[in-house]
Amino acid sequence: MKNYIALFLFLLAAALSESVHAQSNFTLSGTIRDQSTGQTLIGAVLRVEQLPATGAVTDAGGAYSLTLAKGDYTLVLSSIGYKTKSQAINLNANQALDFSLIPAAAALSEAVVHSNSTNAKVASAQMGLEKLTMKEISALPALFGEKDLVKVIQLLPGVKSAGEGNSGFYVRGGAADQNLVLLDNTVVYNPSHLLGFFSTFNTDAIKDVSLYKGGMPAQYGGRLASVLDVKMADGNEERIHGSGGLGLISSRLNVEGPITKDKGSFVVSARRTYADVFAKYYSDEGVQNSKLYFYDLNGKASYKLGNRDRLYVSAYYGKDVMAVKGIFGIDWSNAIGSLRWNHQLKEKVYSNTSLSFSDYHYNVHVSQGDLDAAIRSGIRDWNLAQEFEFYTNPKNTVRVGLSAIHHTIVPGAFVLTDMDNKTFKSHSLENAVYISNSWKPNQKLNIDYGIRVSSLAVLGGKDMYELDAEHNIIDTLRYGSGEVAKTYVNAEPRISASYLLDANSSIKGSYARNSQYMHLTSNSTSGNPTDKWIGSNNIIKPGISDQVAVGYYHTFQNGAIEASAETYYKWMQNQIDYKDGANVLSNDPIEPQLLFGQGRAYGLELLLRKKTGKLTGWVGYTLSRTEQKIDGINNNNWYVARQDKTHDISIVGIYKADSKWTLSATWIYSTGNAVSYPTGKYNLDGQVQFSYSERNGYRMPANHRLDLGVTRQLKQGKNFSSELSFSLYNAYGRENAYIINFKEDPSDKSRTIAEQTSLFRWIPSLTYNFKF
Amino acid sequence: MKTIITITGLALIAAFSSCRKTIDIQVADSDKKYVIEGNITDQNTPATVSITRSISLNATNEFPQVTGAEVNIKDLTSGTEYHLTENEAGIYQSAAIKGVPGHQYQLLVTVGGQQFLALSVMPAPVALDSAYISKTFMGTEVKGVFQDPASTRNYYHPVLYRNGKREKGVAVGSDEAFDGHLVTQTLFTVEDTLIKSGDHITATLESVDPSIYQYYYGLMNASQNSSAPANPKSNISGGALGYFSAHTVSSKELFVP
């Protein structure tokens, strides 16, 4: 740890000393936007024709900064999905210059677009990063026609689905709760709807998606496996626009427009399912009596307060309701809000200040005659963050920041309607400071390095426990509500480097340590809304992961096709598992029901991706292994984790036949999950019970599936356009195993059979989308 | 609870599509373990311990009785010892005992050179005031009305006998959601197709100790649909399956209308 800091300070000193020599240089700064909507573009590339190795990439706010010696240059601007633009400049003073690019779709009939920015993946130091455009996501077939960015992410190498039709995902052997899911920089604690079949992200409201599978930059922290960074669309600054869709199970509406022209914009999106409307017509009384729906609301506004300041407000609210009339009901919701102030301090210095809020909670109601009981559980965060970006000189970009999160957790307490409501809230403070530098020592080498120091202060107020070796409570510890009961500090070094072998190929390597203080405890197969978030405390130690990765990248045909191979090895400490038969819906302390151990994951990921032309898409393959060693399970030996899938293949294709027809297809194959099957049976209380000998000793059958999609453009006008989109999920009707149950053979009651349940076969759906 | 969530969710999915089929799965043969079921009650009946063995999954359901075991129960609170004799193959019984709430009982089984030891404390009795049958779309529900004692954690294990035969299914609960209340609880839900008018029902509410609650909770929830199914945690040490329960019993007789 001391060595890391020493090395880091040395590199930082080197970065800053270089700036001393840069004297007659001037800085060009500004934003790059979409010409038709005025939305800022993330990751747009600005290159200098005269200096092939010099350039800048726009940040999350669409801002760039580039320092050059005095002189005449030609700037080349590009971004995926936009026409490349060139502009000559004469640089003799610090200058603010904004650009806008024309969307390629509008220019589709003229030429097939080539984008230089596709080379970015080869050149940048960042590895383990996957980006998706909303165009790709919208073009792909979807279950029930619900376009879902998480389901598309599951098609990338290194990312696995938590189950058939499930929006939970596992990255490089990590658990579902080890993904940091961010919506406009704010954590989404339960990014799923309807028992995990859909994600909380309404495609209409989203602008950009990035997934970091490893080598996370230092500004991200708090989860072990990945960062899913989702940015909401900003809204059109030019004029009022609307879009929407009518689908099989849900409908959507999106309205955006300027607040003041060229100064501010807003966007509001809504989505609601109506499966419950049909349920009334279903013959089964159980279905008739049940309520089942979800909705989402997204809103965002931004406003320019002069040339150097911009304010952003983002909000999301999504709710699920599931109930059986008069017996039982459960609802859960995510509420998110953030206020961000983007300020340019000087030509080369940007500041981002944000205050955000995230709340996830669920309520369970149970009617027991005249007595009602409820279980309430949730987590609420307040987060204050400050970040500075210094475009020190062409060779260094330094980022410094801090983040403070106050967590409040209500860990699922039973409450009687006529009882004094005892609360069992726990509080903690999760803080982090980080500093990082993107360093380009020469034309071939790019190095991003940084360090994040995170800490958790567990605050008193809730009882804590001391356990013996058998996990029985032997002592109860009480602390005052302002008192710090326990503190953890972790230094997390991050480094990622690339070396260009030639103009089209590079090798990269990275190392990152991550720590995680908030954990989701779950003992069900699929994600359940009643899974609980718990914070680290004296017994539950923070999870720590160390990941090393190396990779090779190559582009062909002027960047149209990119190929990559990455391998990784990850060590995980302080992993949590439940004891057998643990009861989560209880007020009793959860600590005695938990088991702890370690994990390791390693694998190889291959990706061949075509980004431009009539046919786009990718072929991905992952070979991997994920193992756990938990005290008290399988005699403390290493065993394969449930999310371990040896082989995982995905093929994704989008074919734009002409201006009217777009065809798409995805095919997946993966090894089945590891499962525990019974190995024996016995008679207890006059009935047959199964006995188990080993955790995850068996495999489910392999999964494979083909989905097809067709989109037909109906009208394409300046004021109104519409399209019809058809999806066929599981086109060849493969019966993929969802659950395997062992039960009495109906034809011979003295024998046992295995019965497989599969869910979705040949699910067609039709969606009508419109824009005005 | 989890079951109801699953039912609600799956009902919708089933409305769209779902399909089941039998598949062939080969599993390794497991060890043939001893299975011990030990019960002592407050009802002045013999304490009964049955011992069988588990079999492999592919075998037909013939569970071998274990004969020739040495079985003793001791009331650790009073010091009284009871020897159990093998009245039927694999079934060991004492003379009639009226177990005392609050007393701790110890079971010791010696068989095939192995020893199995278990402890259980008989909880305070809770009387079932009345019981009735109610038909809902979930099936035929047998409801029980009882007064839960305040400010102690109580654990209940309902058992249903239909025409003298123990009904299949496992139910267990705690008073966390109704501590200290006079409650009406669904004790057991039976599929409509299995029950008919005129059936004689004995609804039994057993008050069990926490380890037995844990055991049945594990049997219900750590079974197949959980992410990591496993054998429930037994209160018998020595590696046997099963349980030893000192419990109180209160029952009501009913006829299906």
Side-chain angles (χ1 to χ4, degrees), chain A residues 368 416 587 685 742 751 759, chain B residues 17 58 176-177 185 216 224:
Chain A
Q368 316 171 91
L416 284 182
N587 289 353
D685 294 342
F742 288 80
R751 300 199 73 96
L759 292 184
Chain B
S17 84
N58 302 320
E176 241 183 328
Q185 284 281 302
Y216 281 111
Q224 297 191 49

Side-chain angles (χ1 to χ4, degrees), chain A residues 492-509:
Chain A
E492 307 168 25
R494 315 276 175 92
I495 182 163
S496 191
S498 69
Y499 182 77
L500 276 172
L501 300 168
D502 56 50
N504 292 317
S505 61
S506 68
I507 50 167
K508 298 188 192 184

Side-chain angles (χ1 to χ4, degrees), chain A residues 289-590:
Chain A
N289 278 307
S290 59
K291 255 199 240 175
L292 190 64
Y293 64 86
F294 69 79
Y295 63 84
D296 289 307
L297 290 169
N298 288 76
K300 185 166 181 177
S302 66
Y303 202 81
K304 204 169 161 182
L305 304 163
N307 284 329
R308 289 171 170 262
D309 297 275
R310 203 169 178 100
L311 271 182
Y312 297 86
V313 184
S314 310
Y316 168 79
Y317 185 77
K319 185 169 185 170
D320 277 67
V321 174
M322 215 155 83
V324 180
K325 212 194 280 171
I327 296 179
F328 162 86
I330 173 164
D331 63 79
W332 65 100
S333 61
N334 283 290
I336 281 165
S338 78
L339 177 67
R340 186 162 66 92
W341 171 38
N342 179 269
H343 175 62
Q344 187 179 8
L345 284 161
K346 292 196 284 182
E347 272 70 26
K348 296 193 246 179
V349 185
Y350 289 85
S351 155
N352 262 305
T353 311
S354 68
L355 176 67
S356 61
F357 164 85
S358 178
D359 179 278
Y360 170 70
H361 67 263
Y362 68 78
N363 293 300
V364 181
H365 306 275
V366 190
S367 294
Q368 316 171 91
D370 44 1
L371 188 67
D372 283 337
I375 305 168
R376 295 200 185 108
S377 173
I379 180 163
R380 173 176 294 186
D381 285 2
W382 281 99
N383 185 5
L384 185 65
Q386 171 63 45
E387 182 179 86
F388 295 102
E389 280 174 285
F390 301 90
Y391 292 84
T392 320
N393 56 44
K395 291 186 170 177
N396 293 281
T397 303
V398 176
R399 200 186 272 267
V400 181
L402 59 89
S403 155
I405 307 174
H406 180 264
H407 300 285
T408 304
I409 296 179
V410 181
F414 260 110
V415 179
L416 284 182
T417 39
D418 63 344
M419 207 168 81
D420 286 344
N421 290 352
K422 280 182 273 175
T423 47
F424 306 89
K425 285 181 190 166
S426 69
H427 300 276
S428 55
L429 275 175
E430 185 178 342
N431 298 320
V433 289
Y434 58 86
I435 180 162
S436 66
N437 184 24
S438 287
W439 180 36
K440 298 180 174 65
N442 59 47
Q443 296 201 2
K444 298 205 156 189
L445 196 59
N446 284 312
I447 304 176
D448 290 353
Y449 59 92
I451 190 163
R452 181 182 180 91
V453 179
S454 62
S455 72
L456 183 83
V458 184
L459 302 177
K462 185 181 179 284
D463 287 352
M464 306 211 317
Y465 306 94
E466 247 175 75
L467 306 184
D468 64 11
E470 300 289 298
H471 297 244
N472 298 311
I473 293 175
I474 47 170
D475 198 9
T476 301
L477 313 169
R478 292 216 163 93
Y479 296 89
S481 60
E483 222 178 317
V484 175
K486 179 82 193 171
T487 306
Y488 290 101
V489 179
N490 282 297
E492 307 168 25
R494 315 276 175 92
I495 182 163
S496 191
S498 69
Y499 182 77
L500 276 172
L501 300 168
D502 56 50
N504 292 317
S505 61
S506 68
I507 50 167
K508 298 188 192 184
S510 73
Y511 164 75
R513 166 170 279 206
N514 282 283
S515 52
Q516 177 162 352
Y517 301 101
M518 295 292 131
H519 319 271
L520 186 68
T521 52
S522 164
N523 69 348
S524 60
T525 317
S526 59
N528 234 328
T530 52
D531 294 345
K532 283 178 187 178
W533 283 95
I534 50 173
S536 290
N537 59 25
N538 60 326
I539 291 162
I540 303 162
K541 305 260 185 313
I544 291 172
S545 76
D546 293 280
Q547 188 187 158
V548 177
V550 290
Y552 174 75
Y553 305 78
H554 197 106
T555 60
F556 306 92
Q557 293 184 2
N558 230 348
I561 297 175
E562 62 184 39
S564 64
E566 290 192 14
T567 77
Y568 64 91
Y569 196 106
K570 184 153 77 178
W571 297 263
M572 292 167 276
Q573 302 169 45
N574 304 329
Q575 302 295 291
I576 301 174
D577 208 324
Y578 270 125
K579 266 189 182 174
D580 295 334
N583 178 3
V584 274
L585 291 174
S586 168
N587 289 353
D588 294 335
I590 199 153

Side-chain angles (χ1 to χ4, degrees), chain B residues 119-120 208-216 233-235 244:
Chain B
L119 295 173
S120 182
V208 295
D209 85 1
S211 67
I212 295 301
Y213 167 77
Q214 263 297 317
Y215 179 81
Y216 281 111
K233 190 177 185 296
S234 172
N235 62 345
F244 170 56

